[in-house]
Amino acid sequence: MQVMPKHARHLSKSRPRPAALSAELRSVLDEARSLERHQRLEEALVKYTHALSLDPKLVHAWLRVAYVFLVGLHWARAIEALDTALTLEPGNVEALRFMAFARFNLGDTEEARRLIDQAARRSDQSAVWVMRAWVHSSIDKDPARTLAVYRDWGRRAADPLTAKAQPLVVADRDPHRKLKVGYVTADFRRHSVAFFMLPVLEHHDHDNVEVHVFSSGGRDDITPMLQRHTKLWHEVAELSDEELCEFIRALRIDILVDLSGHTLGQRLMTFARRAAPVQVTWLGFMNTLGMKAMDYRLTDWSMDPPGREASYTETLFRLECMACYSPPPHAPLRTDPPMLEAGYPTLISLNNSVKLTHEMLCLWKRILDRRPDARLVIMVKEHTPDDAQAAMQHRVEAADLPLDRVFVMHQQPLERFMELGHIADIALDTAPLSGGTTTLHALWMGLPVVALDAERGIDSSSARTLQGMGLGEWVAADPDAYVDIALRLIADTDRLRLHRQQSRALLRQGGLMDYASRVKELEKSFRIMWMNHLRGDKRDLDLRCRPEADLPDTVGMTERLVGA
């Protein structure tokens, strides 16, 4: 069973209402909670089921049963438990929130929006309002409305903590000294962030920056690969957000970088308490965070061209290229399109299935209708074939896709995922939420990627990647163009073969794999932000300035009090 899906941190622990529970029932619940804390979720489920055998009307136990099913991506079983909880306690906020999450993952986006709005009318809990922001922004791609819903969360959850934060003492204001940079993440494991950050950790100049990692996530075989490049690695999962803030302050970190945003394991409430003089968000979350205490967002000119500033609460700092890409070590390349051997073309969707919309499925149907020999593989995030089928069957039928030519594949281990270029010819990107790391993986496999252009960064990631590699011909301005691009590619096997032969060279020659340049630019951006901080402004917001040529007037001061 997966540890937790994205946003599951916000499916937080409920507590039973005060009641006259028997000693046996209290003991069973205590055991269940202990097992849950240690991620022994299947055993916890057994205990919660035992608790319900003692008291079938215990809403708290029904909610925890639902939570375990949600974490395991068993949507239908979670909904059954939540239906029972809502029957016993209509309007229960946690049940409404959990139900919204389940419905969204089954593609019932409007019902998810109705449920989370209902929960928000009843509660100011952070978890409710951040899920509301996530649901709304996933459905509605308008940048202004996206900003509004995340600000709704920030005003309730983060900004009050910022207003009450203790002043931060910055004792050493030397503009040239080695900067202490801290990365805060729960994703230094088999996660997309790890593929971006491994080259960064490898190429940092330790004469220029002292690198700290604050890890609040689990460990796997990828973690040691990252950890070997950082001596100052801190496991902080057991620290509260307030304790982590105090710890970071005690280390006198200068630049604190959030790599999670509103995802699993995030520590945004540490940032809200002003843990460091300069606080930056990067990579982990492409929408605005909606909080006042996050000073900067690292981006680039293609992802956020001039004029996009109004869409974020963070100040945009533009790099030449906002990320690095490190391909997985196991990725065997097939140099000929599989359709030459199979006799038919295979299209594949590799993105997180939460990004699949009914409109996208209908768009793919148009491609299949015009190529009656084409097959479509849809990979989803559920862990078993049965769960994958249960999650997608009704959605495929609702879009009237040809059932004999559509295949649903459950989540694959990374090594098998990187072999999917051996069965697929073309990857189809999703909209409005596009692929990120998945698109880069697909290109590394030699797959062309068909993408829709968009305005928001979270929607245009694939389009900007393709354009940056000189593959803008695969970026569609509208749905009709998307269909036409896919059909042209299917018909041009020579182009498919040529791309497979050239795709890795294109990536290696591009900015994403020029690791030394990317990290040098990153360290320069940190120095510029530090200079801005010393001056008390945000005047310089890209790499065109020379920090050493414009020293602030405050160099001689020995300390400064920094508020929110």
Side-chain angles (χ1 to χ4, degrees):
M1 179 173 291
Q2 180 172 307
V3 175
M4 281 192 181
K6 276 192 173 184
H7 302 283
R9 181 184 176 94
H10 301 300
L11 305 181
S12 55
K13 310 294 187 289
S14 64
R15 293 290 181 262
R17 293 177 179 273
L21 303 181
S22 69
E24 181 182 4
L25 182 52
R26 285 198 302 272
S27 175
V28 172
L29 289 172
D30 287 344
E31 291 180 60
R33 283 192 289 268
S34 176
L35 291 166
E36 191 178 332
R37 280 195 302 273
H38 290 89
Q39 294 300 311
R40 294 163 60 182
L41 298 184
E42 292 181 355
E43 296 170 75
L45 180 61
V46 172
K47 292 296 181 180
Y48 284 126
T49 303
H50 182 192
L52 288 170
S53 72
L54 299 174
D55 183 356
K57 294 184 178 182
L58 189 61
V59 172
H60 165 74
W62 284 111
L63 291 173
R64 300 324 300 160
V65 166
Y67 172 81
V68 173
F69 283 140
L70 289 174
V71 169
L73 313 184
H74 305 300
W75 313 116
R77 282 176 277 183
I79 288 170
E80 289 176 1
L82 293 168
D83 280 336
T84 302
L86 287 168
T87 298
L88 293 170
E89 190 178 322
N92 181 285
V93 169
E94 193 150 10
L96 291 170
R97 181 162 55 92
F98 285 8
M99 187 72 87
F101 186 72
R103 290 295 183 189
F104 191 94
N105 278 277
L106 288 173
D108 194 353
T109 55
E110 288 305 321
E111 176 64 6
R113 179 154 57 180
R114 186 191 69 80
L115 288 164
I116 198 60
D117 284 348
Q118 184 181 347
R121 287 192 293 271
R122 293 170 173 266
S123 172
D124 275 344
Q125 292 176 13
S126 172
V128 170
W129 282 85
V130 76
M131 185 169 288
R132 177 179 177 271
W134 174 65
V135 169
H136 277 256
S137 64
S138 298
I139 298 170
D140 185 347
K141 59 184 180 180
D142 180 79
R145 288 192 286 272
T146 297
L147 175 65
V149 292
Y150 280 103
R151 273 182 168 161
D152 286 343
W153 166 80
R155 282 194 295 267
R156 289 166 174 81
D159 297 347
L161 292 174
T162 304
K164 296 185 293 185
Q166 293 296 313
L168 176 59
V169 176
V170 180
D172 186 349
R173 297 174 54 76
D174 181 353
H176 296 300
R177 68 173 171 80
K178 181 188 293 189
L179 292 177
K180 294 185 177 182
V181 175
Y183 295 108
V184 182
T185 182
D187 299 325
F188 278 178
R189 51 187 172 82
R190 285 183 175 255
H191 187 279
S192 57
V193 167
F195 294 105
F196 291 119
M197 286 302 297
L198 179 59
V200 174
L201 297 180
E202 286 177 332
H203 287 80
H204 263 311
D205 178 357
H206 295 285
D207 291 330
N208 191 33
V209 291
E210 176 182 295
V211 177
H212 293 249
V213 168
F214 301 94
S215 175
S216 17
R219 298 176 62 88
D220 59 22
D221 59 311
I222 300 296
T223 309
M225 296 171 58
L226 295 149
Q227 191 168 358
R228 72 168 62 107
H229 300 291
T230 307
K231 295 179 180 178
L232 300 169
W233 181 288
H234 313 285
E235 295 288 352
V236 297
E238 298 303 316
L239 297 182
S240 70
D241 291 325
E242 186 172 7
E243 290 169 338
L244 179 55
C245 179
E246 293 172 356
F247 179 53
I248 292 170
R249 283 188 171 206
L251 290 171
R252 298 188 180 275
I253 300 298
D254 301 307
I255 314 287
L256 191 66
V257 184
D258 158 56
L259 297 174
S260 298
H262 289 292
T263 64
L264 168 64
Q266 54 83 11
R267 306 305 295 263
L268 294 181
M269 296 303 98
T270 291
F271 287 82
R273 291 173 165 88
R274 180 55 70 179
V278 178
Q279 302 190 146
V280 188
T281 189
W282 186 37
L283 294 178
F285 195 74
M286 299 303 289
N287 277 328
T288 186
L289 301 182
M291 58 190 291
K292 292 180 179 179
M294 197 63 72
D295 302 309
Y296 296 96
R297 169 177 292 273
L298 281 170
T299 182
D300 60 34
W301 297 99
S302 63
M303 188 65 68
D304 287 297
R308 198 64 58 78
E309 288 79 4
S311 299
Y312 299 94
T313 55
E314 308 87 23
T315 297
L316 299 184
F317 191 104
R318 291 180 175 91
L319 304 167
E320 293 304 314
C321 178
M322 70 170 286
C324 297
Y325 171 63
S326 175
H330 177 79
L333 178 66
R334 177 170 180 166
T335 55
D336 286 325
M339 65 183 293
L340 296 179
E341 179 180 337
Y344 54 81
T346 298
L347 312 171
I348 193 165
S349 166
L350 298 168
N351 291 355
N352 187 326
S353 51
V354 77
K355 299 179 180 181
L356 294 180
T357 64
H358 177 72
E359 292 75 17
M360 206 72 230
L361 294 173
C362 291
L363 189 59
W364 294 344
K365 178 183 183 299
R366 291 173 56 188
I367 300 171
L368 296 184
D369 285 347
R370 291 175 61 180
R371 277 297 301 235
D373 60 334
R375 272 68 164 170
L376 173 63
V377 176
I378 303 174
M379 197 182 80
V380 297
K381 64 181 181 179
E382 283 74 24
H383 302 311
T384 68
D386 288 345
D387 285 337
Q389 193 76 13
M392 287 302 300
Q393 180 77 28
H394 69 290
R395 301 181 65 184
V396 170
E397 292 175 353
D400 198 27
L401 282 157
L403 299 181
D404 60 330
R405 292 192 286 137
V406 176
F407 305 89
V408 176
M409 178 184 293
H410 63 288
Q411 186 67 49
Q412 300 296 302
L414 181 60
E415 288 77 10
R416 292 182 185 174
F417 178 93
M418 293 305 298
E419 295 173 352
L420 292 175
H422 288 242
I423 65 169
D425 299 288
I426 298 165
L428 299 178
D429 195 34
T430 50
L433 304 180
S434 75
T437 314
T438 302
T439 297
L440 293 167
H441 285 348
L443 292 166
W444 191 254
M445 290 183 228
L447 294 174
V449 179
V450 183
L452 271 166
D453 207 350
E455 182 178 359
R456 296 187 308 178
I458 196 170
D459 304 331
S460 64
S461 179
S462 293
R464 300 298 168 262
T465 296
L466 292 169
Q467 291 165 342
M469 292 176 62
L471 301 172
E473 65 194 277
W474 299 337
V475 177
D478 54 49
D480 290 342
Y482 184 101
V483 173
D484 290 342
I485 291 168
L487 292 171
R488 284 200 303 271
L489 281 168
I490 292 172
D492 192 349
T493 54
D494 288 340
R495 181 71 178 91
L496 295 178
R497 181 188 291 110
L498 181 64
H499 176 66
R500 285 176 176 264
Q501 295 169 355
Q502 295 181 341
S503 60
R504 295 191 175 183
L506 284 174
L507 278 164
R508 288 192 182 102
Q509 293 163 10
L512 287 162
M513 296 185 71
D514 182 359
Y515 304 141
S517 295
R518 295 291 76 77
V519 178
K520 186 176 181 180
E521 290 172 359
L522 179 66
E523 292 181 0
K524 183 177 179 181
S525 77
F526 292 154
R527 183 66 61 180
I528 294 170
M529 292 176 194
W530 180 243
M531 293 296 193
N532 286 347
H533 165 70
L534 294 180
R535 280 196 314 268
D537 61 31
K538 292 182 179 178
R539 188 188 68 191
D540 296 321
L541 298 174
D542 58 50
L543 299 169
R544 291 176 294 188
C545 72
R546 291 197 305 121
E548 67 277 7
D550 187 19
L551 299 183
D553 296 333
T554 53
V555 172
M557 296 176 60
T558 57
E559 73 173 26
R560 178 185 180 192
L561 295 180
V562 178

